[in-house]
């Protein structure tokens, strides 16, 4: 069962642990563990493969693999379906199979280890980084923590604030990308700006190098504001927190 520390381990470490487990189960087999750069991996490009092991829930994925193989001029794979063990203790909103997703759900709200104290950081407010992609429940969790008394900082709102006329990123962004990104009222047209950087890593980095430090500065100001209000916990809701 995979919990967060295991999910974020480096690939090399996870692969080594998997190899150790497989060889412990059946050392007579030869294992070729490869990283998956896309949902299909080598299954749609390796001509030497003959069989694909699937479960009832991944059978349609196996059929998609075979369609891709035919498109690539490769023979179809035999699909061998195995049955997954059921979890008799699963709740109504959990998966029927034994699943690490259910385990992680049961651990929600559980303190796995006490917060580490860093002498370089103030004890108050205790700042929690909350991150995740679209649909991950990040906004709902931030709202819930706010209802419990936390001071919530929405990095997305601050991201909009730095672009407004007079905002800290306004003039540098206009200087870098030109007056053609401006609306008639002088505000930055985010769609026009987005079109300039979309799919262009160099231009995107140019923009983020300007904007992200400005957002970070506003975040620090908001944390100081939380401290001034006597808040014990401050939650930073940011989609690209790690980046």
């Amino acid at each position: 069962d995979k919990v967060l520390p295991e999910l974020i381990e480096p690939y090399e470490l996870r692969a080594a642990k998997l190899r150790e487990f497989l060889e412990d189960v059946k050392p007579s087999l030869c294992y070729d563990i490869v990283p998956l750069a896309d949902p299909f991996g080598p299954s749609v490009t390796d001509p030497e493969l003959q069989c694909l092991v699937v479960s009832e829930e991944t059978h349609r994925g196996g059929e998609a693999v075979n369609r891709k193989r035919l498109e690539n001029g490769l023979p179809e794979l035999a699909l061998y379906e195995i049955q997954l063990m059921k979890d008799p203790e699963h709740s109504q909103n959990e998966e029927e199979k034994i699943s690490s997703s259910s385990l992680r759900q049961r651990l929600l709200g559980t303190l796995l280890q006490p917060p580490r104290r860093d002498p370089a950081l103030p004890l108050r407010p205790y700042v929690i980084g909350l991150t995740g992609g679209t649909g991950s429940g990040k906004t709902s969790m931030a709202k819930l923590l706010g209802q419990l008394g936390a001071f919530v900082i929405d990095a997305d709102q601050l991201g909009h604030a730095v672009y407004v006329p007079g905002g800290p990123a306004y003039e540098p962004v206009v200087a870098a990308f030109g007056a053609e990104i401006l609306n008639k009222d002088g505000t930055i047209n985010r769609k026009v700006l987005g079109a300039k950087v979309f799919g262009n890593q160099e231009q995107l980095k140019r923009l983020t190098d300007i904007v992200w430090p400005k957002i970070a500065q506003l975040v620090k100001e908001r944390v100081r504001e939380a401290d001034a209000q006597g808040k014990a916990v401050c939650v930073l809701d940011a989609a690209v927190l790690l980046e």
Side-chain angles (χ1 to χ4, degrees):
D1 285 337
K2 302 180 291 297
V3 292
L4 182 60
E6 294 164 311
L7 289 173
I8 62 176
E9 283 178 342
Y11 166 76
E12 291 77 13
L13 181 56
R14 293 190 67 182
K17 288 183 176 180
L18 176 61
R19 181 177 297 280
E20 182 182 2
F21 170 76
L22 293 172
E23 290 177 347
D24 189 42
V25 171
K26 192 151 190 175
S28 60
L29 291 180
C30 177
Y31 300 101
D32 184 15
I33 302 172
V34 296
L36 299 181
D38 59 71
F40 293 104
S43 65
V44 296
T45 57
D46 190 340
E48 296 185 357
L49 294 180
Q50 296 176 302
C51 176
L52 187 64
V53 178
V54 297
S55 65
E56 182 181 355
E57 64 181 16
T58 62
H59 200 286
R60 290 178 63 185
E63 292 171 348
V65 164
N66 274 335
R67 287 195 295 271
K68 281 282 187 182
R69 286 181 68 86
L70 291 175
E71 290 175 13
N72 293 338
L74 298 173
E76 288 187 341
L77 300 177
L79 300 182
Y80 182 78
E81 185 176 312
I82 59 172
Q83 300 300 309
L84 298 179
M85 292 186 68
K86 308 298 183 185
D87 181 1
E89 305 297 328
H90 78 280
S91 65
Q92 188 174 1
N93 62 338
E94 292 177 344
E95 294 183 290
E96 186 181 9
K97 65 178 182 180
I98 292 178
S99 165
S100 57
S101 298
S102 297
L103 171 65
R104 289 192 294 275
Q105 187 166 323
R106 291 166 193 169
L107 287 173
L108 286 175
T110 303
L111 188 64
L112 300 181
Q113 62 183 28
R116 291 195 302 269
R117 289 194 174 186
D118 186 336
L121 296 174
L123 291 177
R124 281 175 168 259
Y126 188 79
V127 181
I128 299 173
L130 179 61
T131 192
T134 302
S136 65
K138 179 168 52 68
T139 302
S140 298
M141 183 59 68
K143 184 178 179 181
L144 175 60
L145 292 170
Q147 291 170 348
L148 292 172
F151 186 97
V152 179
I153 302 171
D154 187 335
D156 192 45
Q157 287 183 355
L158 299 182
H160 284 278
V162 298
Y163 284 101
V164 300
Y170 178 83
E171 290 188 6
V173 169
V174 174
F177 293 94
E180 64 266 26
I181 67 169
L182 295 177
N183 294 312
K184 290 182 180 179
D185 61 0
T187 57
I188 291 176
N189 188 316
R190 298 284 290 272
K191 287 186 177 180
V192 174
L193 177 60
K196 281 179 170 284
V197 302
F198 183 76
N200 187 321
Q201 290 297 320
E202 186 178 329
Q203 289 289 75
L204 180 60
K205 185 179 185 304
R206 189 181 180 195
L207 178 63
T208 56
D209 283 349
I210 295 171
V211 174
W212 283 357
K214 304 298 184 185
I215 296 175
Q217 188 58 44
L218 290 183
V219 167
K220 290 176 182 176
E221 292 175 9
R222 296 282 282 155
V223 170
R224 286 195 291 268
E225 185 182 332
D227 187 30
Q229 293 184 17
K231 292 286 188 176
V233 175
C234 188
V235 176
L236 172 57
D237 175 353
V240 288
L241 179 63
L242 298 179
E243 291 86 345

